[in-house]
């Protein structure tokens, strides 16, 4: 019982620390530049967070199991490309394009899960290989050229429209942000209230104990990777809608921001512990930091250095927390 309380306390402390860091960044950048707190800039930050936040939710599901998924960024791009093929080249209706993105993500995630569960390939290697495969396939399918959605009515509304703004004109919240909240809420419910969520944590805590209890570990692990892949499909729709195109060369590098958000939000890279709320806070921290440094005209290379340093500090803090619970 005392160990459980310690774990809960540690997780709560990490979320509070991350939230306090987010508030400190907002205050700091607001004092440093009068342009930071403008409504248009805040909406820009939220819009940028929508894509990285959805990818981070997908990464969270896998990392809680004790795995890692390096393919989330290129899978996002591949889902955008397949959507473009169906809608633009095939002339199919918008709902079919949405289903294509989700199905493509789920199928690729299921394949990655099979590599890890059935073939016993380490998650790092399996998803690294998948990342390169998807990057190549995106370029092959499109011939290296973007697919534009100019002839697909309503596609840009997926991310850039504002359903909330139509109901409350004073709050023009982009649909992409609303979708992020819906995805995060659904993922939180799955982790907290479903069998899949319980096995997600159990696999990350002690996979061998779960296996010895008679559970089909491979099946549940594949299901988790498939779910994460479907979430990447949502991210593919959001970024394609935001750019009004599927950019085949885009995607690689997004996995780093997603994993950074997960780690900063308090999810343990060792597995067995994590929350979607913490991940959302981590994604906001990444977006606020990037936006604020850009407004202050900090060179992009220094932005990368600062983000990397924050990741190292977050991982070190996680190591300290886990050391205290042993």
């Amino acid at each position: 019982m005392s160990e459980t309380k310690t774990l809960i306390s540690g997780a709560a402390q990490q979320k509070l620390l991350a939230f306090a860091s987010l508030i400190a960044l907002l205050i700091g950048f607001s004092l440093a530049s009068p342009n930071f707190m403008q409504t248009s800039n805040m909406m820009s930050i939220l819009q940028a967070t929508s894509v990285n936040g959805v990818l981070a939710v997908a990464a969270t599901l896998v990392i809680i199991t004790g795995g890692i998924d390096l393919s989330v960024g290129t899978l996002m791009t591949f889902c955008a490309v397949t959507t473009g093929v169906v809608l633009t080249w095939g002339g199919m209706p918008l709902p079919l394009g949405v289903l294509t993105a989700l199905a493509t993500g789920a199928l690729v995630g299921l394949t990655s899960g099979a590599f890890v569960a059935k073939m016993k390939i380490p998650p790092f290697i399996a998803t690294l290989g998948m990342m390169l495969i998807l990057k190549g396939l995106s370029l092959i399918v499109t011939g290296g050229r973007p697919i534009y959605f100019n002839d697909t009515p309503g596609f840009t509304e997926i991310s850039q429209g504002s359903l909330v703004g139509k109901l409350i004109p004073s709050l023009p919240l982009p649909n992409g942000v609303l979708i992020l909240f819906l995805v995060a809420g659904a993922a939180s419910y799955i982790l907290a209230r479903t069998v899949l969520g319980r096995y997600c944590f159990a696999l990350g805590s002690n996979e061998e104990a779960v296996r010895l209890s008679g559970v089909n570990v491979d099946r549940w692990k594949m299901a988790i990777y498939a779910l994460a892949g479907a979430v990447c499909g949502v991210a593919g729709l959001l970024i394609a809608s935001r750019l009004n195109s599927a950019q085949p060369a885009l995607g690689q590098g997004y996995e780093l921001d997603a994993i950074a958000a997960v780690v900063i939000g308090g999810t343990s890279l060792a597995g067995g512990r994590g929350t979607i709320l913490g991940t959302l806070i981590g994604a906001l921290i990444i977006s606020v930091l990037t936006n604020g440094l850009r407004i202050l005209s900090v060179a992009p290379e220094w932005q990368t250095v600062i983000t990397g340093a924050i990741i190292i500090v977050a991982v070190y803090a996680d190591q300290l927390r886990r050391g205290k619970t042993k």
Side-chain angles (χ1 to χ4, degrees), residues 2 15 18 48 57 65 67 97 110 127 131 140 170 177 184 189 215 233 245 247 249 256-257 270 274:
S2 61
K15 279 190 288 188
V57 169
T65 68
L110 183 65
T127 58
M131 176 183 74
I140 291 169
S170 60
V177 180
Y189 179 83
V215 174
S245 63
Q247 301 285 338
L256 299 180
D257 283 344

Side-chain angles (χ1 to χ4, degrees), residues 139-208:
L139 293 170
I140 291 169
V141 170
T142 62
R145 295 183 296 273
I147 301 176
Y148 294 97
F149 295 93
N150 296 328
D151 298 325
T152 306
F155 187 76
T156 57
E157 293 295 309
I158 293 176
S159 178
Q160 300 182 59
S162 180
L163 180 61
V164 175
K166 292 178 181 178
L167 300 174
I168 310 174
S170 60
L171 185 62
L173 189 71
N175 287 339
V177 180
L178 182 62
I179 291 172
L180 167 61
F181 292 156
L182 291 174
V183 169
S188 295
Y189 179 83
I190 289 171
L191 287 176
R193 302 289 184 181
T194 68
V195 175
L196 180 64
R198 289 195 290 273
Y199 282 136
C200 191
F201 285 104
L203 289 172
S205 298
N206 193 331
E207 181 177 328
E208 189 58 27

Side-chain angles (χ1 to χ4, degrees), residues 4-323:
T4 302
K5 289 182 178 179
T6 303
L7 284 170
I8 294 173
S9 175
Q13 288 175 7
Q14 174 61 23
K15 279 190 288 188
L16 287 173
L17 178 61
F19 185 71
S21 300
L22 176 60
I23 298 300
L25 284 174
L26 289 171
I27 294 174
F29 285 128
S30 298
L31 294 175
S33 173
N35 298 323
F36 180 77
M37 268 299 180
Q38 292 183 359
T39 302
S40 59
N41 192 54
M42 290 295 101
M43 289 301 169
S44 177
I45 289 174
L46 289 174
Q47 187 75 289
T49 305
S50 64
V51 174
N52 187 45
V54 170
L55 283 181
V57 169
T60 301
L61 296 172
V62 173
I63 290 174
I64 288 176
T65 68
I68 194 77
D69 193 345
L70 299 179
S71 68
V72 292
T74 51
L75 177 53
M76 172 188 71
T77 300
F78 186 64
C79 290
V81 166
T82 56
T83 301
V85 169
V86 169
L87 294 180
T88 303
W89 294 357
M92 296 291 115
L94 182 57
L96 187 58
V98 172
L99 290 175
T100 298
L102 300 179
T104 299
L107 180 60
V108 172
L110 183 65
T111 304
S112 294
F115 289 159
V116 174
K118 296 294 186 181
M119 300 176 66
K120 308 304 179 185
I121 300 174
F124 183 92
I125 302 300
T127 58
L128 176 62
M130 183 59 76
M131 176 183 74
L132 297 176
I133 290 171
L134 295 173
K135 179 181 179 180
L137 286 176
S138 295
L139 293 170
I140 291 169
V141 170
T142 62
R145 295 183 296 273
I147 301 176
Y148 294 97
F149 295 93
N150 296 328
D151 298 325
T152 306
F155 187 76
T156 57
E157 293 295 309
I158 293 176
S159 178
Q160 300 182 59
S162 180
L163 180 61
V164 175
K166 292 178 181 178
L167 300 174
I168 310 174
S170 60
L171 185 62
L173 189 71
N175 287 339
V177 180
L178 182 62
I179 291 172
L180 167 61
F181 292 156
L182 291 174
V183 169
S188 295
Y189 179 83
I190 289 171
L191 287 176
R193 302 289 184 181
T194 68
V195 175
L196 180 64
R198 289 195 290 273
Y199 282 136
C200 191
F201 285 104
L203 289 172
S205 298
N206 193 331
E207 181 177 328
E208 189 58 27
V210 176
R211 190 186 305 275
L212 292 175
S213 66
V215 174
N216 189 332
V217 168
D218 293 349
R219 183 180 66 183
W220 288 106
K221 188 176 291 186
M222 290 167 62
I224 292 166
Y225 273 85
L227 176 60
V231 174
C232 290
V234 176
L237 289 170
L238 290 178
I239 195 166
S241 173
R242 184 180 175 189
L243 301 175
N244 198 31
S245 63
Q247 301 285 338
L250 192 68
Q252 193 166 348
Y254 276 78
E255 70 281 345
L256 299 180
D257 283 344
I259 294 172
V262 174
V263 172
I264 292 171
T267 296
S268 174
L269 287 174
R273 187 175 74 244
T275 64
I276 300 299
L277 176 59
T279 292
L280 285 182
I281 295 173
L284 281 169
I285 288 175
I286 295 292
S287 296
V288 168
L289 185 64
T290 301
N291 181 276
L293 292 175
R294 187 179 296 124
I295 285 180
L296 295 179
S297 300
V298 175
E301 51 268 27
W302 279 108
Q303 295 178 28
T304 305
V305 169
I306 293 171
T307 302
I310 290 174
I311 294 172
I312 291 174
V313 170
V315 173
Y316 181 63
D318 176 58
Q319 296 278 19
L320 292 178
R321 285 196 310 274
R322 288 198 293 123

